[in-house]
Amino acid sequence: MNRILTLLMAAMLFSFQNFTLAQDTTDYALPKKHVIIKNDGTQYVGVILSNDDREILIETTTIGKVYIPKHEIKEIRELKEGELDGSGRYIGNEEFDTRYFLTTNGFPIKKGDSYMLWNLYGPDFQFGLSDHFSMGVMTTWIASPIGVTAKYSGKLSDKVSVGVGGIFGTTSYIDPGAGLALPFVALTVGDSRTNVNISAGYGAVFGNGAGGRAVFSLGFMARASSKVSIVFDSIFAPELEDDDVGNLTFLFPGIRWNTSPGKAFQFGFGAFSYSESNSGDSDDVSWDSGVVPFPMLSWFRKF
């Protein structure tokens, strides 16, 4: 009888042990993946196997193990949610995330991320003087007008950024006494890969034909793959009372192709539209309007 009881207790103990093992919910965390960005812009994604004073050994998801000397590394950070596409390929951040076609947003140009932008109409240089403050110079191929830009950026939360700045320009040799001042504020929701921006400012023209009007902008950017981003930009300048120019609207949908680290090509189809009310001496109001399409081509280069 004692032997039977002993066998039954042993069987129950064995069953209980198997049940607890099957129900074990201990979280055995997988090794965390990191992104290593070199000084030349090359990026590696994988698990860091070793890290000493001279080099890092990372097992990448594409080419296996790679040794990277420490002096060649610009940044090391943990892989964030949303940085891999549905196939597990690394998407990464948009290198030129502070710019759409013409307008900027609340993101900062970090120190060391200065860039030049070659447009069909002229060059544009932007310098990251600190992690929050940047300045730039833009002009046309005939050096008129010439504008100086300045922007201070900061974060309101993890997904909300704000920028305050302005554009101050002159028509230079064509009319030395004429120019433009455009202070603005930009509110950006999202991150480097996907974001929406709303900007508002006031453009004041001085010299011949002095005046001014409010200016608004809506911008959008979405990272579609490791090399391609969808970009949309717009500028709205509503008509003021007794203004002969009328409502002005600029729309710029397009695509940005990151050809290699630190380089990108952007193209789109811009459209300029205007509308103006003409009442004359009567109570009847008529509207004159028109749309002028034009191409937008830009080349980004970091330096």
Side-chain angles (χ1 to χ4, degrees):
M1 184 70 178
N2 291 336
R3 182 177 297 180
I4 294 175
L5 290 175
T6 300
L7 291 174
L8 288 174
M9 291 178 64
M12 292 174 62
L13 180 62
F14 178 77
S15 300
F16 177 76
Q17 182 180 11
N18 285 343
F19 175 79
T20 56
L21 289 174
Q23 297 297 317
D24 185 9
T25 58
T26 303
D27 182 16
Y28 297 100
L30 296 175
K32 295 180 179 179
K33 290 185 178 181
H34 285 76
V35 180
I36 297 179
I37 303 176
K38 296 178 63 177
N39 295 325
D40 62 2
T42 305
Q43 299 173 336
Y44 296 96
V45 179
V47 177
I48 294 178
L49 303 179
S50 65
N51 183 358
D52 57 34
D53 294 337
R54 294 187 306 169
E55 60 190 10
I56 287 180
L57 174 60
I58 182 172
E59 185 165 8
T60 67
T61 56
T62 54
I63 59 176
K65 297 178 180 179
V66 178
Y67 283 97
I68 308 175
K70 278 287 185 69
H71 69 273
E72 296 182 1
I73 296 176
K74 177 182 179 182
E75 182 183 357
I76 304 173
R77 60 178 175 82
E78 188 176 330
L79 189 69
K80 297 179 181 179
E81 183 180 357
E83 291 188 306
L84 297 178
D85 62 15
S87 302
R89 291 180 299 230
Y90 178 64
I91 297 177
N93 292 329
E94 169 58 53
E95 285 194 274
F96 305 97
D97 58 359
T98 64
R99 196 65 174 268
Y100 300 105
F101 274 92
L102 295 180
T103 67
T104 184
N105 55 29
F107 295 148
I109 302 176
K110 296 181 180 179
K111 187 175 181 178
D113 285 347
S114 304
Y115 68 88
M116 63 182 70
L117 175 59
W118 303 105
N119 296 292
L120 287 181
Y121 56 83
D124 185 339
F125 301 88
Q126 297 296 323
F127 304 91
L129 302 182
S130 73
D131 286 342
H132 297 282
F133 183 71
S134 62
M135 293 190 69
V137 178
M138 60 176 61
T139 185
T140 65
W141 296 115
I142 62 172
S144 179
I146 299 175
V148 176
T149 66
K151 184 180 71 171
Y152 181 85
S153 301
K155 277 186 171 293
L156 299 180
S157 68
D158 186 50
K159 291 289 187 179
V160 180
S161 302
V162 63
V164 179
I167 303 174
F168 310 93
T170 174
T171 54
S172 65
Y173 63 90
I174 293 181
D175 188 355
L180 168 72
L182 176 56
F184 66 85
V185 59
L187 182 67
T188 308
V189 179
D191 54 28
S192 175
R193 296 180 298 279
T194 304
N195 54 79
V196 176
N197 178 76
I198 299 175
S199 301
Y202 186 84
V205 178
F206 53 88
N208 295 329
R213 65 169 60 193
V215 180
F216 305 94
S217 173
L218 174 64
F220 170 80
M221 183 183 301
R223 192 82 160 163
S225 70
S226 60
K227 288 186 175 294
V228 176
S229 295
I230 300 171
V231 183
F232 173 80
D233 201 1
S234 62
I235 297 176
F236 307 96
E239 180 183 10
L240 299 178
E241 187 177 357
D242 299 327
D243 190 342
D244 295 333
V245 178
N247 298 308
L248 302 177
T249 302
F250 298 85
L251 301 176
F252 310 99
I255 297 292
R256 181 178 301 170
W257 178 32
N258 294 271
T259 56
S260 61
K263 298 180 180 179
F265 170 66
Q266 184 168 284
F267 61 93
F269 301 94
F272 161 65
S273 67
Y274 64 90
S275 61
E276 180 182 6
S277 62
N278 298 307
S279 58
D281 296 330
S282 66
D283 293 333
D284 296 331
V285 177
S286 62
W287 289 84
D288 294 330
S289 62
V291 177
V292 180
F294 54 91
M296 289 292 292
L297 300 176
S298 305
W299 292 262
F300 292 84
R301 296 290 185 273
K302 281 190 174 182
F303 60 87

